[in-house]
Amino acid sequence: MSLDRAAVVIPARDPGGALARLLVSLAAANDSGRLAEIVVVDDGSVEDLSAVCAAHGARHLRRDRSAGPAAARNAGAAATSAPILLFFDADVLCPAGLPEAVFATFAARPEALAVSFRSRGFDPECSVVANFGAALEQFWLGLYLAAGGGPAFVEGVTSRSFAVRRDAFDALRGFDEAFRTNAIEDLDFGLRLAAGGPLLLAAEPQVDHRYPAGLSRLLRNYAVRAFVFGRWYAARRPKLPRVHVSPGEGLLRILGTAALVALAAGALGSAPLAVGGAILAAVYFAAIGPFLRHAARLGSWRFALLAALLHLGSSPVIVSAAFSGLASGVLAPRRGDTVPRLAGAPR
């Protein structure tokens, strides 16, 4: 199969302004014209996105009731025919050179089933909260790219910007539509896909992504994702792909939560717990040092300090939501995963 054309699939549910910016960036990046199809799957938006799509040459597929991004991506894929599927979330921008990077990667690595792209780690025009989310994600993904800066083999995909071979996507029957929100559906898909062949994470180009700008939205996103993850993990007990679930990040979150709980108990009059909390906090800040240096390089040491406080303060939300999901998932019926392997695809 010749991997010479790609179909772009974008699940969207408001707002139209962000979608318009993505479509403009796609037009600018499509120098070779090999982005043969652009399909926007309108997942029950309140706004009328048809005019935005028409203005920028995208096909508009309307779903009157939202079924979630997993179902939207599957519907968009089914409506296209190109041999490569290039997925974007509606709140990103496609950088110049990304389509050609996709074709070049598949040409150089014909065994690869998918290639994902990182988001930028810092934007001086964005809020501290948004830059914290960007810097943290880039830090953990960047650990895969430390040696040489070339594409890295990973065990997952980043669904906001990734390309996948259609034959691989169809073999898995796409995303699991049981996931009704944008949480863990990409982890589940990437884990199943990785059983069929190699997946890559590209060093460049990096995409612009609009991370949550406010603290309440950030904490809400963390809570939802952590709960869904805990429930999914308890029900299926999968081998976790490190590209999504870093053991180091998990341990940091637990350590930070323990430090805050001990310090809070110490403030209520327990001297031993106060001492223990101070020790745990010191260990936590020592352990988070590599991320702080990364954040300082991206922004400043002031930003790094604020990022550390955001990381520490959000840890109890993540830990409590994850354990709540685990408890809920233990009671859920366990579902076995059937992972088809593509004929002839090497591991």
Side-chain angles (χ1 to χ4, degrees), residues 59-83:
R59 183 178 173 189
H60 177 246
L61 298 181
R62 167 75 181 177
R63 302 167 68 95
D64 291 330
R65 299 183 63 180
S66 174
R73 293 188 190 105
N74 290 346
T80 64
S81 59

Side-chain angles (χ1 to χ4, degrees), residues 28-305:
N30 191 20
D31 293 334
S32 67
R34 291 201 284 173
L35 298 184
E37 308 164 88
I38 299 178
V39 176
V40 174
V41 183
D42 182 347
D43 190 35
S45 296
V46 175
E47 293 183 45
D48 181 3
L49 300 183
S50 61
V52 173
C53 294
H56 299 285
R59 183 178 173 189
H60 177 246
L61 298 181
R62 167 75 181 177
R63 302 167 68 95
D64 291 330
R65 299 183 63 180
S66 174
R73 293 188 190 105
N74 290 346
T80 64
S81 59
I84 296 174
L85 293 165
L86 178 53
F87 290 97
F88 287 101
D89 282 354
D91 59 353
V92 306
L93 298 178
C94 177
L98 188 144
E100 297 312 310
V102 169
F103 299 121
T105 298
F106 283 124
R109 307 284 186 109
E111 76 279 14
L113 302 185
V115 56
S116 295
F117 295 89
R118 294 187 299 163
S119 297
R120 297 189 189 279
F122 189 86
D123 183 343
E125 297 183 1
C126 291
S127 71
V128 169
V129 172
N131 279 323
F132 161 68
L136 184 63
E137 179 181 285
Q138 191 188 77
F139 171 74
W140 288 109
L141 291 180
L143 296 180
Y144 291 95
L145 303 169
F153 289 102
V154 294
E155 298 174 295
V157 299
T158 56
S159 62
R160 71 174 65 98
S161 54
F162 85 106
V164 60
R165 286 172 39 176
R166 178 179 292 276
D167 57 352
F169 186 87
D170 290 345
L172 295 182
R173 299 182 180 89
F175 287 84
D176 186 343
E177 297 185 11
F179 294 97
R180 300 296 295 272
T181 185
N182 60 334
I184 313 306
E185 87 289 354
D186 51 353
L187 193 162
D188 174 86
F189 176 80
L191 181 62
R192 292 185 290 123
L193 186 64
L199 313 180
L200 294 174
L201 175 68
E204 299 289 344
Q206 299 175 30
V207 303
D208 291 308
H209 171 238
R210 299 179 67 183
Y211 288 82
L215 182 59
S216 61
R217 179 64 183 275
L218 176 77
L219 295 179
R220 175 189 175 277
N221 283 7
Y222 277 164
V224 170
R225 291 175 183 274
F227 180 85
V228 174
F229 166 78
R231 183 177 175 84
W232 171 82
Y233 181 79
R236 303 192 187 182
R237 311 290 171 82
K239 176 186 176 183
L240 295 177
R242 293 182 301 146
V243 71
H244 277 279
V245 185
S246 165
E249 174 69 1
L251 290 173
L252 275 173
R253 295 293 187 176
I254 293 172
L255 180 60
T257 300
L260 288 177
V261 169
L263 288 171
L268 296 176
S270 174
L273 284 177
V275 173
I279 294 173
L280 288 174
V283 174
Y284 166 83
F285 280 105
I288 206 174
F291 167 63
L292 297 185
R293 290 190 289 273
H294 171 74
R297 286 193 297 269
L298 292 174
S300 65
W301 277 107
R302 178 179 179 275
F303 167 64
L305 176 60

Side-chain angles (χ1 to χ4, degrees), residues 19 22 82 111 122 124 256 262 335:
L19 174 62
L22 169 58
E111 76 279 14
F122 189 86
R335 179 175 135 187

Side-chain angles (χ1 to χ4, degrees), residues 301-326:
W301 277 107
R302 178 179 179 275
F303 167 64
L305 176 60
L306 293 173
L309 295 176
L310 284 169
H311 191 284
L312 179 62
S314 61
S315 291
V317 174
I318 293 174
V319 171
S320 60
F323 277 99
S324 296
L326 282 169

